Amino acid sequence: MDIRNNILETIGHTPLIRLNKVTRDLPCTVLAKTEYFNPGNSIKDRMALKMVEVAESDGRLKPGGTIIECTSGNTGMGLALAAVVKGYKCIFTTTDKQSKEKIDILKALGAEVIVCPTNVEPEDPRSYYSIARRLAKEIPNSFHSNQYDNLANRLAHYETTGPEIWDQTDGKITHLVVATGTGGTLTGTAKFLKEKNPDIQVWAMDPFGSLLTKYFRTGEADMNEVHPYITEGIGEDFVPQNYDMQYVDVFEQVTDKDAAIMARRIAREEGLFCGYSAGTALQGMLQLKDLLKKEHLVVVILADHGSRYVGKVYNDQWMIERGFLDVKTFKDLVAGRGASRLISLAPDQTVAEAFELMQKYNVENLPVLQNGDLLGAISESGLFARMMNNGLDIKNKKITEVLEKPYPVISFDTPLERLSSLITRENGAVLAKDDSGNYHIVTKYDVIQALGS
């Protein structure tokens, strides 16, 4: 029987999966090391368990102790799994830019989570680094795992990730691509692979706003390079001790937007539902595609799972609000059909006048306004239903007698995808006001035409 004694025994041995569509224009083979197959859905399970095991062996972590860590979420997940199995408590500090999903998952495993501000320097007492250090001093029988400077981090990847990739590629790997943060995955994996074959190229991918790229190129930790960025789990505003730059050949930076768009492409084109940093890794590799040749075998590490980012990268509205998606909006539909006045009715007009306007302007939906205020609506389908139920002689009725509920009023910048869900059989149109306070209307036919263009 193939039975594991606990969840920790399922860590590692993640699959290599060939990328086919996102990389179709490349001359070489690109394989994804899909680390979300780990039980905590990220590569951080490997080093989290290793840090715990090393701390147990040297006496820093004792029975009944408390594990304390500053984490973007994934390391905390790995530590929490270890704590559940081994009987420890967990307190994690994290930043306010991390996804709600990550925080909720940590709490689900029994951890206490303290959310700290992102845009402060590492030594600021409010930073998640500083608060973790302070708690470790104040809480008896606690262990601050400190993934940034704990060399068990990179040791985990030297012992597991590197050997797995070497064996899975039969030693034919030519390039390793890693979106890097603490430096553990990058350094540990690269060290093992370069000991096997010094010619293997190691490419590190970094978000703009991190100082790691400039540090690699100049040896200077320049705080002027540091500015807020949205990408989670990678990049740093200091240089963790896990880095050993002698094993790295290239550092490349990727924008938040390009990384987010690429993550979504990987999901839609390859069926690999991975996280934000995976987009950074693959986008960075594509930015360096001119360095790749037919005989190359590239392994890109996809560090975590897309479920961590359903409220962000995989949420259209979140992407639109940050300018990451180029989409058509209500405003675009109105502009595309040219300037035209809104055809509307007043409440004291008759159904006969409504029919006349519908025929004259070839429209099915008419808002009803009084002194610029929206009172309701009249639709061709609604009038037809009344004729079937109440007889054909309704032409002389006032609009107020057949008034339907008003159409929804939305933002002028509402995206096309949202319009598609607002316009239904019962609700044939939506309205929005421009900057001058004038109403405009979009109907299902406007949406159909836009989708087909």
Side-chain angles (χ1 to χ4, degrees):
M1 294 186 291
D2 183 10
I3 298 172
R4 310 300 169 92
N5 293 310
N6 58 62
I7 193 65
L8 303 181
E9 294 184 0
T10 68
I11 293 173
H13 304 289
T14 55
L16 273 184
I17 300 175
R18 186 187 304 272
L19 299 181
N20 299 293
K21 297 179 180 178
V22 173
T23 57
R24 65 170 64 90
D25 295 329
L26 299 182
C28 58
T29 298
V30 181
L31 306 176
K33 181 69 167 163
T34 47
E35 286 296 298
Y36 61 72
F37 279 82
N38 283 302
N41 295 138
S42 92
I43 196 168
K44 298 293 189 177
D45 289 358
R46 297 174 183 265
M47 60 83 134
L49 178 59
K50 189 65 178 180
M51 290 192 298
V52 169
E53 290 176 340
V54 171
E56 289 174 328
S57 66
D58 63 21
R60 287 177 295 158
L61 183 56
K62 299 177 177 62
T66 299
I67 300 171
I68 297 174
E69 179 61 310
C70 47
T71 175
S72 61
N74 288 329
T75 299
M77 181 66 170
L79 290 170
L81 289 175
V84 168
V85 173
K86 293 172 173 288
Y88 302 116
K89 299 175 184 176
C90 284
I91 300 176
F92 299 129
T93 60
T94 192
T95 63
D96 53 16
K97 81 171 184 179
Q98 306 306 327
S99 66
K100 182 177 182 296
E101 291 83 2
K102 287 182 178 179
I103 295 170
D104 289 343
I105 289 170
L106 294 177
K107 291 180 178 179
L109 288 172
E112 179 183 345
V113 182
I114 300 170
V115 180
C116 309
T118 299
N119 299 326
V120 295
E121 294 185 1
E123 298 306 319
D124 189 298
R126 298 168 296 167
S127 77
Y128 78 142
Y129 310 108
S130 297
I131 291 177
R133 287 193 295 265
R134 176 175 61 80
L135 291 173
K137 293 177 181 178
E138 295 175 352
I139 297 174
N141 193 20
S142 64
F143 163 62
H144 181 201
S145 53
N146 186 15
Q147 60 180 310
Y148 302 93
D149 300 329
N150 188 333
L151 299 188
N153 179 350
R154 70 189 194 189
L155 179 62
H157 300 290
Y158 180 83
E159 293 180 343
T160 67
T161 314
E164 285 178 27
I165 292 173
W166 182 259
D167 291 342
Q168 288 172 311
T169 63
D170 289 332
K172 295 178 181 178
I173 176 176
T174 62
H175 292 70
L176 173 71
V177 178
V178 182
T180 188
T182 68
T185 300
L186 177 70
T187 303
T189 310
K191 183 175 186 292
F192 177 89
L193 292 175
K194 281 184 175 284
E195 286 178 358
K196 289 291 187 180
N197 178 4
D199 294 331
I200 292 174
Q201 288 281 298
V202 175
W203 292 356
M205 304 306 166
D206 193 31
F208 282 97
S210 164
L211 57 68
L212 294 174
T213 297
K214 184 170 183 180
Y215 177 80
F216 169 78
R217 294 171 181 172
T218 68
E220 178 186 2
D222 184 1
M223 291 303 295
N224 292 321
E225 291 288 304
V226 177
H227 60 78
Y229 55 91
I230 300 173
T231 309
E232 298 180 30
I234 56 173
E236 296 296 349
D237 49 7
F238 69 104
V239 183
Q241 292 180 22
N242 271 293
Y243 278 95
D244 190 339
M245 295 299 186
Q246 68 173 308
Y247 299 111
V248 184
D249 298 287
V250 174
F251 249 89
E252 177 77 0
Q253 288 187 296
V254 176
T255 67
D256 290 327
K257 177 179 178 179
D258 288 344
I261 292 172
M262 178 55 67
R264 291 165 65 103
R265 283 191 62 194
I266 298 170
R268 293 184 179 184
E269 296 180 35
E270 304 288 351
L272 299 176
F273 189 41
C274 51
Y276 207 154
S277 68
T280 301
L282 195 52
Q283 175 62 31
M285 186 206 69
L286 292 178
Q287 290 172 194
L288 300 170
K289 64 182 180 180
D290 291 342
L291 301 178
L292 296 172
K293 299 178 180 179
K294 183 178 180 180
E295 64 270 20
H296 289 158
L297 178 61
V298 182
V299 174
V300 181
I301 292 182
L302 307 186
D304 68 349
H305 196 257
S307 59
R308 307 280 205 267
Y309 309 92
V310 291
K312 291 189 173 183
V313 172
Y314 295 104
N315 180 284
D316 287 352
Q317 191 61 42
W318 186 89
M319 293 283 287
I320 290 165
E321 288 170 357
R322 283 150 188 82
F324 291 177
L325 283 185
D326 298 322
V327 297
K328 288 185 177 180
T329 65
F330 186 105
K331 181 179 180 179
D332 296 325
L333 299 190
V334 171
R337 68 189 182 205
S340 60
R341 70 180 182 89
L342 177 68
I343 309 302
S344 63
L345 290 164
D348 58 352
Q349 289 184 268
T350 64
V351 171
E353 291 175 294
F355 277 133
E356 183 178 344
L357 287 173
M358 289 177 178
Q359 291 175 351
K360 181 177 180 180
Y361 294 101
N362 192 29
V363 295
E364 293 185 2
N365 302 276
L366 294 171
V368 179
L369 303 175
Q370 186 173 42
N371 299 323
D373 295 326
L374 185 63
L375 298 183
I378 294 295
S379 68
E380 186 178 71
S381 59
L383 291 178
F384 182 77
R386 286 181 177 273
M387 289 171 60
M388 294 297 98
N389 294 330
N390 303 316
L392 299 179
D393 190 19
I394 64 168
K395 290 186 177 182
N396 295 323
K397 289 184 178 293
K398 295 289 186 180
I399 292 299
T400 51
E401 298 180 68
V402 294
L403 196 64
E404 301 167 29
K405 66 180 182 180
Y407 300 129
V409 179
I410 60 174
S411 166
F412 215 53
D413 293 322
T414 300
L416 174 60
E417 288 80 359
R418 176 66 175 147
L419 298 184
S420 302
S421 64
L422 290 172
I423 299 176
T424 63
R425 175 186 291 182
E426 295 76 21
N427 180 62
V430 291
L431 298 173
K433 280 186 176 181
D434 60 22
D435 293 337
S436 301
N438 299 315
Y439 278 112
H440 297 266
I441 190 169
V442 163
T443 69
K444 61 183 178 183
Y445 294 109
D446 295 315
V447 174
I448 291 170
Q449 186 175 10
L451 289 173
S453 61

